[in-house]
Amino acid sequence: PVRTVDSEAASAAAVAAQLRAAAHRTPRSLPRRSRPPPPPVPPPMFPLPIALDDAPPVRFAPRGAGSSRFAGAPQDADDRLRLHSGCRGVTKCGFVGPSGFDAEPFAAAARAACDVVVLTAIFGRKDKLQQPTPVPASLAGCYFAIVDEASSTYLRRTAPPRLQREKAVGRDRIGAWRLLTLPSPAPYESARRTSRVPKLLPFRLFPRARYSVWVDGKLQLRADPRELLRAFLWRPAAQFAAPRNYRRDRIDDEFRWIRAALCGDARKVASCDAVEAQWSFYRAEQARRGAGWKDRTACVEGALLLVDLHAAAARCLMCAWFADWDRFSERDQLAFAYTLAAVNTTPPARVNLWPREQHWHAKNSSRWRAWKYVKYAGHGGDGNAPPRAAGLGAGRGGPPARK
């Protein structure tokens, strides 16, 4: 018999369907242990309306652009509109006025041949320097600790005996970390504020590097940093990645937590007032845009940040974060929660906020094994640092209790 084209097509479609079904069927004879594991559940993505690769490059305000302040002249309504519209035009993003970050050690670090940089900062002797392990040979010399003079002296004096014996402690080095000691003038009077500059603006300090991993002083990195990047930045094709906050979901949760931490302490009245003013400004700005804005916000854990330093979207996001942090209180958490929702350009980019099950304080569960990338060490400084601006919020050395 002669087959028509339709019958041949139908037969081919039936065979293709059978092959697809067979490909997804696990033979019963296959032992359970040798069966392929189920595909991993990808981390949830937080869509951020910022342009992707077709975004125009961010044009930074030049040095000395009408101000001697590190961040430039105080932000006005036009500056804010340009930032929230995708950094259109000239963008104030720090490094306008002179500071110790202009010194030669920082210029030399910026020229380092590092595709990936790992960063931390310790000011006011607040933390001890946690040695990463392992340190890949290809990334040796790409771990940078930005410190003030007091912390540099303290960290070298209290370095582990093993590093002392191995002669791995010097003026510019402690173990795997290259020390970048910030000379005068500091960009801010507050040590806490100064320590946030490398956290919020890594692409200004390391323009040649492609990726950065920020590790807070209370965490110890326990894996090749490229494993973190691969799992949470590269695989999901994100430009910025951070863990969700372990306890707080929305910006109003963050505000209540910060207010409770600051406003009950008479020594922190100035910081309490600054946070209250910041919250009032946010509420007034969003009142013109309709209700429900708090539901569009998310809280992150700022102790671990992964950034594609060459992505215009990531640069714009962090410039907007820096601008709000510089304008308002020293607490960067509230500014970031707002910035995530406020920056509004298209097409959308992707910010990966991985779930709480992957937080370093999370317990084992059936879905995730214990987190292997970092270990919580707490703030281990000597507590004898000179007084800093109020509202520094010292850590308590242990994991927070879940509500």
Side-chain angles (χ1 to χ4, degrees):
V2 178
R3 292 187 177 182
T4 64
V5 173
D6 291 341
S7 63
E8 290 178 353
S11 176
V15 171
Q18 293 173 2
L19 290 174
R20 285 194 299 269
H24 291 283
R25 190 181 304 125
T26 301
R28 293 187 177 181
S29 60
L30 191 63
R32 180 175 295 275
R33 290 183 179 179
S34 63
R35 293 183 184 181
V41 179
M45 302 297 297
F46 186 84
L48 180 68
I50 302 179
L52 279 166
D53 293 337
D54 57 346
V58 178
R59 291 192 292 141
F60 302 124
R63 296 295 178 100
S67 175
S68 60
R69 291 183 69 244
F70 176 77
Q75 186 187 67
D76 58 27
D78 290 338
D79 295 330
R80 193 166 184 81
L81 179 61
R82 282 194 295 269
L83 280 168
H84 291 180
S85 300
C87 298
R88 309 299 179 183
V90 176
T91 299
K92 295 177 185 175
C93 196
F95 294 85
V96 175
S99 75
F101 287 111
D102 302 327
E104 174 54 29
F106 288 90
R111 296 191 296 268
C114 295
D115 193 46
V116 176
V117 291
V118 181
L119 307 175
T120 193
I122 298 175
F123 282 71
R125 303 197 300 270
K126 184 179 180 181
D127 296 298
K128 289 186 177 179
L129 198 55
Q130 305 295 331
Q131 290 297 318
T133 178
V135 177
S138 59
L139 293 182
C142 297
Y143 292 71
F144 296 92
I146 294 90
V147 299
D148 58 2
E149 189 65 48
S151 298
S152 176
T153 303
Y154 167 71
L155 293 171
R156 285 183 278 115
R157 188 181 72 244
T158 59
R162 175 183 62 83
L163 297 180
Q164 301 280 4
R165 290 192 302 269
E166 296 173 356
K167 300 186 184 303
V169 178
R171 174 67 184 173
D172 302 321
R173 177 192 174 202
I174 297 180
W177 295 100
R178 293 174 59 179
L179 290 188
L180 295 177
T181 303
L182 185 72
S184 298
Y188 297 97
E189 293 183 4
S190 163
R192 182 186 182 93
R193 277 209 182 270
T194 300
S195 72
R196 294 301 186 267
V197 172
K199 175 181 178 178
L200 274 59
L201 303 178
F203 48 89
R204 302 301 312 267
L205 288 170
F206 298 90
R208 294 182 59 180
R210 179 61 194 268
Y211 302 101
S212 70
V213 177
W214 167 266
V215 184
D216 196 80
K218 64 188 175 185
L219 299 180
Q220 180 194 21
L221 187 60
R222 299 175 65 87
D224 185 329
R226 291 168 297 192
E227 291 186 28
L228 271 168
L229 292 167
R230 184 179 301 111
F232 299 111
L233 198 74
W234 299 340
R235 190 174 295 159
Q239 297 168 320
F240 180 97
R244 288 184 180 273
N245 189 280
Y246 193 56
R247 291 182 295 178
R248 299 178 289 282
D249 295 309
R250 307 186 318 175
I251 191 170
D252 48 335
D253 300 328
E254 192 72 64
F255 168 67
R256 284 192 293 268
W257 182 85
I258 295 174
R259 183 172 59 180
L262 297 181
C263 298
D265 191 334
R267 298 169 300 175
K268 303 175 181 179
V269 172
S271 291
C272 174
D273 292 344
V275 170
E276 293 277 9
Q278 182 176 2
W279 182 246
S280 297
F281 180 91
Y282 287 164
R283 292 182 61 185
E285 186 171 68
Q286 290 297 328
R288 302 189 298 270
R289 303 176 184 177
W293 67 275
K294 299 174 190 175
D295 297 328
R296 299 191 295 272
T297 62
C299 296
V300 305
E301 195 76 62
L304 184 62
L305 306 175
L306 314 178
V307 185
D308 181 347
L309 300 178
H310 288 189
R315 290 186 171 197
C316 181
L317 169 64
M318 299 189 81
C319 285
W321 182 13
F322 172 80
D324 262 37
W325 166 84
D326 174 79
R327 177 173 181 170
F328 297 111
S329 73
E330 292 184 342
R331 310 298 296 227
D332 58 41
Q333 307 100 313
L334 197 64
F336 187 77
Y338 188 81
T339 300
L340 274 175
V343 176
N344 185 29
T345 61
T346 54
R350 292 166 73 86
V351 170
N352 182 13
L353 303 188
W354 63 81
R356 289 185 175 127
E357 290 87 348
Q358 287 282 54
H359 195 283
W360 46 86
H361 287 322
K363 307 298 183 183
N364 286 331
S365 67
S366 57
R367 183 177 177 187
W368 304 103
R369 62 179 177 173
W371 217 54
K372 63 181 182 179
Y373 300 106
V374 298
K375 177 182 177 181
Y376 182 84
H379 294 294
D382 65 354
N384 295 320
R388 293 169 286 168
L392 300 191
R396 299 187 178 273
R402 288 294 304 272
K403 290 184 178 180

